[in-house]
């Protein structure tokens, strides 16, 4: 596996680091103020980040990331590779318990990997190169590949829309539909979901942790708090005020223009996640106006990204205008390929393309949300620029859960707002996947992605990825606005927490229990 070296994956800002002398304390209820409601609690079926942030406390994967974003075992004990790189044999850890008391076995892993490959955006990308998977014995799973892969283990490590393992009987009961039981092997077990109130998880007393010291997202995970309440708080001002008063221990997605003030608040710690992702307008390639390449190119040509990003993030320290689909902090993958088509600020070209396409003012339905306020503000400024060249943008504002549900129905929209979150492996970058809403399924791009998945040589992989990025801009696959970094805040009594791209509340504790 090619090791992904990141120059500066994380900027921790002022995230609290507990002193070496302080010992963790068990107990208390951790209250996390989230941007809104999760659209699902079934991680196989959605790329919505809020679902991962909540549920990966409950579910686990065969592999996870270390601090350098390399793949390391989690539910797996390890693996061997045979048949010239085409067979991966995974040994499972023994004695791992599901929250229903049943021991994890290979039957659960096989059923979960098959379902993940069928339903998940990342799973479908991995399974393009998979011939099959089978249980060799209760603790051994074999995965058979069509060709050797330079990306398989990172695909299995990915938390977002990840290859989490559910009990086989839960998968069987769900059939082709959504799960009705949320059972995993993680340090916390699901208790209840009360819409508009909370998702509650509690410490799993029979959790079987790894023996190694914590490293990145791997190693030993300990649930120190008794419970976590993930509370939907759509108003960003209310989230921040709640941490100030001590009502919440954590709040996400705080306005960057509040950073200087937050740094001076007593009892509050500010954390910057850098990089967090890139902001995008996703165009509908399956149905409607945006199936016309000339309209997509006109959309792309019209935009001036600096005022769009400034409107969304305010403080210059929280965004940058850059064409690369992988971040500056990822030097092995960062590229300017296709960059001349990014940030064109060319209304004349946009108008020419609109005329060529025969566009006559049909409404372009753009769904966005204020729960991620930067998405709404990015869309608001982009709409002004697009209207100025002759587009007629119908901006529809909904809650995040509704947006995530609606984007799966191509007849309902032409554009939607979202962010493509940080990912160490470009082959599984959500922003370029055919099977994700938007359905950008260009044949040449698919061939290069397939080749990227199979290739092991780092230089060849970089060249393949640059082909994908070039096509992204030439075909106007999606519209990248710019990179963003996010601000989150915690109470000082929340110990051991770090601001990272993947929010995690294992190995954290409350110095003062509430």
């Amino acid at each position: 596996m090619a090791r992904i070296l990141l120059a500066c994956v994380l900027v921790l800002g002022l995230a609290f680091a507990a002193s070496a002398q302080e010992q963790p304390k068990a107990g208390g209820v951790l209250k996390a103020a989230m941007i809104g409601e999760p659209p699902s609690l079934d991680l196989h079926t959605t790329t919505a980040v809020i679902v991962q942030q909540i549920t990966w406390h409950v579910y686990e994967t065969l592999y996870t990331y270390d601090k350098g974003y390399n793949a390391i075992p989690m539910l797996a004990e390890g693996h061997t590779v045979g048949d010239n790189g085409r067979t991966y044999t995974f040994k499972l850890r023994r004695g791992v318990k599901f929250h229903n008391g049943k021991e994890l076995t290979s039957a659960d892993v096989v059923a979960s990997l098959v379902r993940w490959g069928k339903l998940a955006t990342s799973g479908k990308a991995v399974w393009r190169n998979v011939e099959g998977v089978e249980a060799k014995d209760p603790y051994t799973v074999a995965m058979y590949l069509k060709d050797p892969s330079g990306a398989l283990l990172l695909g299995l490590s990915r938390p977002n829309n990840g290859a989490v393992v559910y009990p086989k009987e839960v998968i069987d009961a769900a059939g082709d539909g959504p799960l009705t039981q949320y059972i995993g092997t993680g340090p916390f077990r699901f208790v209840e979901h009360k819409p508009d109130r909370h998702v509650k998880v509690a410490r799993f007393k029979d959790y079987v942790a790894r023996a190694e010291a914590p490293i990145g997202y791997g190693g030993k995970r300990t649930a120190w708090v008794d419970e976590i309440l993930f509370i939907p708080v759509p108003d960003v001002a209310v989230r921040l005020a709640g941490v100030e008063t001590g009502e919440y221990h954590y709040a996400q997605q705080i306005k960057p223009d509040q950073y200087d003030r937050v740094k001076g608040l007593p009892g509050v710690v500010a954390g910057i996640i850098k990089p967090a992702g890139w902001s995008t307008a996703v165009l509908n390639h399956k149905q409607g106006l945006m199936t016309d390449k000339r309209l997509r190119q006109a959309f792309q040509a019209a935009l001036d990204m600096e005022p769009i990003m400034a409107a969304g993030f305010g403080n210059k320290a929280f965004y940058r205008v850059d064409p690369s689909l992988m971040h500056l902090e990822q030097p092995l993958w960062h590229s300017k390929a296709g960059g001349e088509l990014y940030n064109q600020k060319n209304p004349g070209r946009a108008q020419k393309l609109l005329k060529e396409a025969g566009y006559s003012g049909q409404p372009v339905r753009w769904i966005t949300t204020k729960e991620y306020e930067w998405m709404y503000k990015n869309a608001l400024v982009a709409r002004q620029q697009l209207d100025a060249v002759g587009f007629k943008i119908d901006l529809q504002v909904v809650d995040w859960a509704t947006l995530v549900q609606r984007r799966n129905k191509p007849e309902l929209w032409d554009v939607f707002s979202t962010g493509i979150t940080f990912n160490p492996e470009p082959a599984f970058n959500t922003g370029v996947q055919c099977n994700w809403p938007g359905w950008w399924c260009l044949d040449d791009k698919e061939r290069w992605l397939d080749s990227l998945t199979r290739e092991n040589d780092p230089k060849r992989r970089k060249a393949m990825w640059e082909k994908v990025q070039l096509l992204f801009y030439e075909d106007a696959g999606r519209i990248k606005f710019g990179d963003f970094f996010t601000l989150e805040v915690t109470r000082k009594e929340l110990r051991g927490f770090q601001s990272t791209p993947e929010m995690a509340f294992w190995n954290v504790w409350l110095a003062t229990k509430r």
Side-chain angles (χ1 to χ4, degrees):
M1 179 188 71
R3 294 176 67 84
I4 306 299
L5 302 178
L6 305 178
C8 182
V9 175
L10 307 178
V11 174
L12 298 181
L14 301 178
F16 184 84
S19 69
Q21 290 76 30
E22 186 175 14
Q23 294 300 310
K25 300 176 181 178
V29 177
L30 194 163
K31 297 178 181 178
M34 311 297 285
I35 60 99
E37 277 287 319
S40 170
L41 293 175
D42 182 357
L43 196 57
H44 286 174
T45 62
T46 180
T47 59
V49 174
I50 192 171
V51 177
Q52 174 229 306
Q53 291 171 329
I54 293 171
T55 64
W56 83 323
H57 294 83
V58 175
Y59 312 135
E60 293 180 314
T61 46
L62 289 178
Y63 281 72
T64 190
Y65 298 142
D66 69 8
K67 62 184 179 181
Y69 284 84
N70 304 293
I72 57 173
M74 176 49 67
L75 290 176
E77 195 63 61
H79 72 278
T80 57
V81 183
D83 189 23
N84 296 315
R86 289 193 293 267
T87 299
Y88 279 68
T89 303
F90 301 99
K91 285 290 184 184
L92 305 181
R93 292 165 52 209
R94 294 179 181 238
V96 173
K97 294 288 184 69
F98 283 108
H99 301 147
N100 61 3
K102 193 193 85 164
E103 185 183 11
L104 168 80
T105 70
S106 56
D108 305 300
V109 173
V110 169
S112 296
L113 290 178
V114 169
R115 183 177 189 266
W116 176 68
K118 213 180 275 185
L119 300 181
T121 297
S122 52
K124 290 174 184 176
V126 169
W127 274 73
R128 284 196 297 245
N129 189 35
V130 175
E131 285 189 339
V133 59
E134 70 170 334
K136 304 293 287 184
D137 65 43
Y139 302 102
T140 307
V141 174
M143 180 174 276
Y144 305 106
L145 307 183
K146 298 171 185 175
D147 294 295
S149 172
L152 175 64
L153 294 182
L154 281 171
L156 295 175
S157 302
R158 175 187 165 103
N160 181 259
N161 202 202
V164 293
V165 179
Y166 301 122
K168 181 178 184 298
E169 61 271 21
V170 169
I171 292 173
D172 291 344
D176 293 332
L179 296 182
T180 57
Q181 301 176 72
Y182 308 118
I183 297 172
T185 58
F188 294 91
R189 59 180 178 81
F190 172 77
V191 176
E192 64 183 9
H193 179 197
K194 293 187 175 180
D196 299 321
R197 288 184 58 189
H198 62 240
V199 175
K200 180 192 290 189
V201 301
R203 181 193 299 115
F204 178 43
K205 63 182 179 63
D206 294 325
Y207 177 64
V208 180
R210 295 194 66 89
E212 306 95 328
I215 177 171
Y217 303 110
K220 187 176 183 180
R221 296 176 175 179
T222 301
W224 290 108
V225 298
D226 295 332
E227 295 178 350
I228 307 172
L229 297 180
F230 297 98
I231 302 167
V233 186
D235 189 311
V236 61
V238 176
R239 291 199 295 275
L240 176 56
V243 174
E244 287 185 60
T245 62
E247 182 178 358
Y248 309 126
H249 299 100
Y250 166 88
Q252 60 181 187
Q253 297 282 335
I254 302 304
K255 289 182 182 179
D257 61 12
Q258 294 292 303
Y259 181 52
D260 290 337
R261 188 178 81 84
V262 166
K263 286 190 295 183
L265 292 175
V268 176
V269 177
I272 302 175
I273 302 171
K274 182 178 181 179
W278 44 272
S279 176
T280 181
V282 177
L283 309 180
N284 188 341
H285 290 248
K286 181 178 282 190
Q287 190 171 332
L289 290 169
M290 289 300 156
T291 58
D292 189 322
K293 180 178 177 179
R294 295 165 298 185
L295 289 183
R296 299 196 304 271
Q297 290 174 328
F299 195 111
Q300 180 175 255
L303 298 177
D304 181 351
M305 303 309 184
E306 176 65 34
I308 291 172
M309 292 300 289
F313 299 94
N315 189 325
K316 182 69 176 174
F318 286 84
Y319 72 91
R320 65 175 163 237
V321 174
D322 183 81
S324 182
L325 304 185
M326 300 292 279
H327 297 283
L328 186 65
E329 293 80 5
Q330 300 171 280
L332 290 183
W333 299 113
H334 185 264
S335 173
K336 299 290 186 182
E340 68 278 2
L341 296 175
Y342 171 76
N343 197 24
Q344 293 177 53
K345 299 177 280 189
N346 192 338
R349 181 167 187 261
Q351 290 169 332
K352 181 174 181 291
L353 286 162
L354 286 177
K355 186 176 181 180
E356 290 175 2
Y359 178 72
S360 57
Q362 302 95 315
V364 177
R365 299 161 300 168
W366 184 339
I367 51 175
T368 190
T369 183
K370 289 184 178 179
E371 289 181 4
Y372 288 102
E373 191 172 44
W374 52 269
M375 291 187 193
Y376 172 70
K377 289 187 173 180
N378 286 169
L380 207 58
V381 174
R383 180 181 68 175
Q384 294 168 356
Q385 297 178 6
L386 292 164
D387 284 346
V389 301
F391 278 103
K392 183 178 180 182
I393 303 297
D394 173 19
L395 200 61
Q396 302 174 5
V397 183
V398 300
D399 63 81
W400 178 241
T402 298
L403 187 154
V404 171
Q405 291 162 359
R406 192 179 295 180
R407 73 187 186 186
N408 292 312
K409 300 176 180 179
E411 70 276 11
L412 296 181
W413 59 275
D414 300 299
V415 185
F416 74 82
S417 298
T418 194
I420 305 300
T421 52
F422 171 81
N423 193 325
E425 172 49 58
F428 309 124
N429 187 312
T430 304
V432 298
Q433 298 304 321
C434 165
N435 56 69
W436 188 62
W439 305 283
W440 179 44
C441 299
L442 192 68
D443 288 345
D444 283 351
K445 182 261 297 183
E446 295 305 303
R447 283 192 287 270
W448 284 117
L449 277 178
D450 277 345
S451 298
L452 178 65
T453 303
R454 291 165 168 77
E455 182 57 60
N456 281 291
D457 181 81
K459 288 184 179 178
R460 291 178 182 171
R461 298 192 84 225
K462 173 69 174 289
M464 291 169 179
W465 174 244
E466 288 187 321
K467 294 288 189 182
V468 172
Q469 183 169 302
L470 180 62
L471 290 168
F472 177 93
Y473 285 109
E474 288 180 347
D475 196 53
R478 331 273 195 209
I479 303 298
K480 177 181 176 180
F481 296 137
D483 296 335
F484 64 86
F485 323 128
T486 55
L487 175 63
E488 59 187 10
V489 293
T490 60
R491 296 290 306 173
K492 283 187 176 178
E493 58 262 29
L494 180 63
R495 303 289 209 257
F497 180 79
Q498 292 185 332
S499 293
T500 69
E502 320 293 347
M503 181 189 78
F505 291 130
W506 55 80
N507 299 341
V508 308
W509 67 99
L510 297 174
T512 303
K513 299 171 191 174
R514 293 176 182 270

